[in-house]
């Protein structure tokens, strides 16, 4: 049974005309189609089974090494983005499989220690560093030695989930907005739990528009996306909601993302990443064998950058300990 054919026919019949169809998906390297799964379903599965996806569970979202099990990690953030985006995609009759694949893959290239890690690697690595570009590099080059060979639609959504460019598909545009919806709300939730914020600190006008807790805020934002994007050629959350969301984001930068007690370890995190990066540049023999094989084709700086960016928080700390801290002396 060609279940894929049935799924493609279902998409053509039921999806919004502007939604992406898996039958139109293209890959850089042609490959035989699956009898069961559509092209976007295969992309989703490849991302979930990737090593980079598994590493997200031990990568910082905002709070470095928090004492508690309920703070978000890069993996839980990814899952929350995916959940919100799929809800809206279903309501708008967009392609849920494409939406899910982009959402699950959008942060695969993120560094250890969150945006602090991204910033220091951008300043340290001669070629600069942007996590969205690294996410694309992960799926194009680093996974499975020659990449996952994802469809162009998923690759475009991953690359353009942040920054000034507009994704080529409505599904990509949706994930871009849902990424911001997710992190603003769950970062507020984590900041309140940590005591970094009190509810009385929250900006009154924005909370009046968006809602007093994360559940209400997300629900209102989801409804706003659906109402303002229904049967449209672009995804938007509406002018009022966009202004309130951006204002709340600015508030989070002032009160949480920069200078709060929760960020007091960032200077140490930056030191760890910079030190390990420079050490490996000087001592490439300490790179793993699979990385060493890339030096000739990629160059040493890019190889080191790829290796460091892929590390989890705890793994880079272990390597820092190995490289820079004295080892216990043992008698003969």
């Amino acid at each position: 049974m060609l279940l894929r054919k049935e799924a493609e026919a279902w998409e053509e019949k039921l999806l919004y005309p502007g939604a992406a169809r898996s039958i139109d998906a293209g890959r850089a390297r042609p490959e035989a189609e699956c009898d069961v799964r559509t092209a976007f379903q295969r992309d989703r599965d490849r991302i979930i089974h990737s090593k980079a996806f598994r590493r997200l569970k031990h990568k910082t979202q905002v709070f470095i090494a928090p004492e508690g099990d309920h703070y978000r990690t890069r993996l839980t953030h990814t899952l929350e983005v995916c959940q919100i985006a799929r809800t809206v995609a279903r309501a708008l009759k967009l392609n849920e499989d494409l939406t899910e694949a982009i959402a699950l893959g959008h942060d695969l290239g993120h560094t250890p220690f969150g945006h602090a890690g991204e910033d220091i690697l951008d300043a340290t690595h001669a070629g600069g560093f942007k996590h969205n570009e690294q996410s694309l590099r992960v799926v194009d080059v680093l996974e499975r030695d020659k990449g996952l060979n994802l469809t162009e639609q998923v690759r475009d959504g991953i690359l353009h989930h942040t920054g000034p460019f507009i994704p080529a598909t409505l599904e990509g545009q949706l994930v871009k907005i849902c990424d911001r919806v997710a992190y603003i709300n769950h970062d507020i939730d984590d900041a309140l739990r940590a005591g970094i914020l009190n509810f009385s600190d929250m900006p009154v006008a924005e909370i009046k528009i968006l809602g007093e807790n994360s559940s209400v805020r997300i629900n209102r934002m989801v409804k706003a996306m659906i109402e303002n994007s229904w049967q449209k050629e672009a995804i938007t959350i509406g002018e009022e909601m966009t202004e309130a969301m951006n204002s709340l984001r600015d508030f989070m930068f002032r009160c949480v993302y920069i200078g709060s007690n929760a960020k007091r370890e960032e200077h140490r995190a930056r030191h760890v990443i910079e030190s390990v990066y420079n050490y490996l540049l000087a001592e490439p023999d300490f790179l793993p064998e699979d990385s060493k094989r890339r030096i000739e084709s990629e160059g040493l700086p890019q190889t080191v950058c790829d290796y460091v960016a892929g590390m989890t928080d705890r793994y880079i700390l272990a390597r820092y300990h190995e490289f820079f801290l004295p080892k216990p002396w043992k008698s003969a």
Side-chain angles (χ1 to χ4, degrees):
M1 293 179 63
L2 288 178
L3 298 178
R4 172 181 56 81
K5 289 286 189 181
E6 292 184 10
E8 291 170 348
W10 179 92
E11 289 180 355
E12 186 59 38
K13 179 181 179 181
L14 297 178
L15 292 185
Y16 170 61
R21 267 63 174 176
S22 56
I23 197 170
D24 298 323
R27 303 184 190 274
R29 299 190 302 273
E31 57 184 55
E33 296 286 0
C34 175
D35 289 344
V36 176
R37 297 167 297 162
T38 67
F40 298 144
Q41 288 173 338
R42 296 179 80 187
D43 283 2
R44 174 203 61 203
D45 294 352
R46 290 175 186 183
I47 290 168
I48 289 176
H49 289 285
S50 69
K51 292 184 292 185
F53 184 79
R54 295 195 292 275
R55 290 196 298 268
L56 293 178
K57 67 180 178 178
H58 293 303
K59 291 194 176 191
T60 290
Q61 174 61 24
V62 170
F63 300 101
I64 295 174
E67 292 184 357
D69 294 332
H70 299 142
Y71 295 96
R72 270 72 172 191
T73 66
R74 190 63 56 178
L75 178 60
T76 59
H77 160 72
T78 293
L79 296 176
E80 290 184 30
V81 174
C82 184
Q83 175 266 320
I84 296 168
R86 282 200 61 173
T87 297
V88 180
R90 181 172 297 184
L92 294 177
K93 297 185 178 181
L94 301 181
N95 196 307
E96 288 186 57
D97 296 322
L98 173 58
T99 301
E100 186 175 23
I102 295 170
L104 292 174
H106 80 281
D107 269 355
L108 292 179
H110 232 301
T111 62
F113 305 131
H115 287 285
E118 180 177 17
D119 291 344
I120 192 60
L121 200 52
D122 185 42
T124 304
H125 178 54
F129 184 89
K130 296 290 183 291
H131 79 271
N132 56 314
E133 296 173 358
Q134 188 69 13
S135 293
L136 185 63
R137 182 168 170 78
V138 167
V139 299
D140 277 357
V141 178
L142 301 179
E143 283 287 335
R144 298 186 187 175
D145 292 327
K146 58 181 181 179
L148 301 180
N149 196 30
L150 302 185
T151 61
E152 290 299 325
Q153 292 86 344
V154 173
R155 294 178 65 256
D156 172 84
I158 289 174
L159 179 62
H160 296 137
H161 82 268
T162 188
F165 298 103
I166 299 174
T169 64
L170 293 177
E171 291 81 2
Q173 294 176 35
L174 174 58
V175 172
K176 186 167 188 166
I177 295 176
C178 289
D179 181 31
R180 180 166 292 193
V181 169
Y183 76 68
I184 288 174
N185 283 290
H186 64 49
D187 291 350
I188 290 173
D189 191 32
D190 282 353
L192 291 170
R193 177 181 291 109
I196 302 302
L197 290 177
N198 294 312
F199 185 76
S200 58
D201 299 325
M202 302 295 290
V204 175
E206 289 78 0
I207 292 302
K208 184 176 180 181
I209 293 171
L210 297 174
E212 294 189 353
N213 60 61
S214 60
S215 178
V216 172
R217 285 192 295 272
I218 292 173
N219 189 53
R220 287 183 183 177
M221 290 177 176
V222 164
K223 287 183 176 179
M225 272 187 280
I226 295 169
E227 292 169 359
N228 287 281
S229 306
W230 178 253
Q231 302 291 295
K232 301 286 180 61
E233 296 304 314
I235 304 299
T236 177
I237 199 168
E239 184 175 347
E240 180 185 42
M241 197 70 73
T242 296
E243 290 180 359
M245 184 170 66
N246 288 341
S247 179
L248 191 56
R249 180 177 180 270
D250 292 342
F251 165 81
M252 291 294 290
F253 267 95
R254 293 193 307 271
C255 299
V256 177
Y257 300 147
I258 300 174
S260 73
N261 287 335
K263 311 299 280 183
R264 64 183 179 270
E265 296 299 312
E266 280 195 352
H267 70 285
R268 291 189 175 97
R270 293 169 186 264
H271 169 73
V272 168
I273 290 178
E274 184 177 23
S275 299
V276 170
Y277 176 90
N278 287 327
Y279 186 88
L280 290 169
L281 275 184
E283 303 286 348
D285 285 344
F286 285 92
L287 287 166
E289 290 303 318
D290 59 340
S291 292
K292 290 179 183 177
R293 289 194 292 268
R294 296 186 182 276
I295 294 176
E296 183 175 350
S297 60
E298 303 288 349
L300 180 59
Q302 184 61 59
T303 300
V304 172
C305 180
D306 290 336
Y307 180 50
V308 172
M311 292 181 178
T312 63
D313 296 12
R314 63 185 186 180
Y315 184 72
I316 197 169
L317 289 173
R319 297 243 72 182
Y320 180 87
H321 187 282
E322 175 189 354
F323 296 156
F324 297 106
L325 298 187
K327 297 175 176 58
W329 179 80
K330 294 181 179 180
S331 61

